[in-house]
Amino acid sequence: MISVRKRMWLLVGLALWWCLAPVRAWGVSTSASAAVLMDADTGQVLYDHNGSRRMLIASTTKLMTALVALELGEPSQVITVTAAHMAEGSSMYLRPGERLTLEELLYGLLLCSGNDAALALTECAGGVAPFVERMNEKARQLGLSEKTHFANTSGLFAADNTCTARDMAAIMAAAMEEALCREVLSTVDHTTAATESQPEGIVLRNKYLDWFQEKQPEGFTVTACKNGYIRQSKNCLVSYGTGASGKRYICVTAGAGTAVQLMQDHRLLLSTYGK
């Protein structure tokens, strides 16, 4: 039987070992309220800070919008823009009467985060309500938690438009399995086909991917990303890329501080694990 004195020294020794042992993934600190770094090949979560917390997700919502649009429609499907598709916030500057393909609308949805594109794409389901219903059905099909629920296609504030960082990593993984989604999310600049009201087309840009390409995380190459921001959610970002070993990773942060801190958070997590 271990004596009281030996038991005391054993506990002291364990406490010292815990304090002096090297800090692993969870010791990395970010500005985000929730963050996850996931191995995209295996689904293993390598870093988790409040990864299962219900979060407002702003325009990262549009990743699910893109998945459902491609499920319900075809890239070549032509959609006519109406006044009902005009929206507040970020925009690809559509005009009523313009006719664009679903593919062109996806570029507007994911590059410049057009809320007007998010509404126009609901025509694939015959309206906003059935489209959002399908988004929630898709979440269940992907095995996402009950904390993930969609109230709209854009990510504009709604108290019940929420997701977890872990679930958002799974959504990004699904998006990157879709060839067109992967192509659009990996594009920095795109100009849509000419329309009658905009004969030079619409110039679109993914500024976050542009920033990543200017300064990649050490030992890592980011090839795709989608950002989001509303006042209530702060900054959100999902990034995808490859480490020096060829392994693929997905990084998700939600509730981050400034845009600069957001990029620093991703560079820190990706350079730590992008091996």
Side-chain angles (χ1 to χ4, degrees), residues 142-161:
L142 290 174
L144 307 186
S145 72
E146 293 299 322
K147 294 177 182 177
T148 291
H149 180 269
F150 298 98
N152 58 55
T153 60
S154 65
L156 285 171
F157 175 71
D160 57 344
N161 195 80

Side-chain angles (χ1 to χ4, degrees), residues 156-170:
L156 285 171
F157 175 71
D160 57 344
N161 195 80
T162 59
C163 189
T164 70
R166 281 177 175 257
D167 285 352
M168 185 55 68

Side-chain angles (χ1 to χ4, degrees), residues 211-233:
W211 291 346
F212 270 123
Q213 292 192 349
E214 287 183 3
K215 189 176 180 182
Q216 294 282 7
E218 183 179 351
F220 200 92
T221 302
V222 173
T223 56
C225 68
K226 179 71 190 83
N227 70 299
Y229 174 83
I230 52 174
R231 177 178 55 82
Q232 296 88 346
S233 71

Side-chain angles (χ1 to χ4, degrees), residues 182 201 238 242:
R182 183 168 62 250
V238 186
T242 308

Side-chain angles (χ1 to χ4, degrees), residues 30 38 47 49 64 66 71 85 87 145 147 150-151 167 177 192-193 202 208 220 224 241 264:
T30 71
M38 187 181 84
Y47 175 91
H49 172 63
M64 182 62 88
E71 180 183 274
H85 300 147
S145 72
K147 294 177 182 177
F150 298 98
D167 285 352
E177 289 299 314
T192 67
I202 306 168
Y208 279 86
F220 200 92
Q264 290 173 339

Side-chain angles (χ1 to χ4, degrees), residues 52-209:
S52 297
R53 176 186 290 182
R54 187 191 302 270
M55 302 290 294
L56 295 172
I57 51 172
S59 284
T60 57
T61 295
K62 295 182 173 85
L63 291 170
M64 182 62 88
T65 304
L67 281 174
V68 171
L70 283 173
E71 180 183 274
L72 298 179
E74 295 292 333
S76 60
Q77 177 180 344
V78 176
I79 295 173
T80 301
V81 179
T82 72
H85 300 147
M86 301 300 98
E88 62 177 298
S90 55
S91 175
M92 68 177 292
Y93 301 105
L94 296 174
R95 300 174 185 176
E98 288 182 329
R99 291 166 55 81
L100 290 90
T101 64
L102 184 151
E103 180 175 347
E104 297 281 42
L105 289 171
L106 281 181
Y107 277 100
L109 179 80
L110 298 176
L111 267 63
C112 66
S113 207
N115 294 334
D116 46 1
L119 285 174
L121 285 166
T122 64
E123 295 301 316
C124 295
V128 175
F131 193 101
V132 172
E133 181 179 357
R134 181 59 196 142
M135 290 171 71
N136 287 308
E137 290 173 356
K138 185 73 172 179
R140 304 290 81 81
Q141 287 181 357
L142 290 174
L144 307 186
S145 72
E146 293 299 322
K147 294 177 182 177
T148 291
H149 180 269
F150 298 98
N152 58 55
T153 60
S154 65
L156 285 171
F157 175 71
D160 57 344
N161 195 80
T162 59
C163 189
T164 70
R166 281 177 175 257
D167 285 352
M168 185 55 68
I171 294 171
M172 183 62 160
M176 294 301 288
E177 289 299 314
E178 292 286 343
L180 184 53
C181 267
R182 183 168 62 250
E183 177 184 329
V184 175
L185 287 166
S186 303
T187 300
V188 175
D189 294 290
H190 177 79
T191 301
T192 67
T195 65
E196 185 175 338
S197 57
Q198 302 190 69
E200 296 183 358
I202 306 168
V203 179
L204 308 169
R205 187 173 186 80
N206 184 337
K207 65 180 181 180
Y208 279 86
L209 187 56

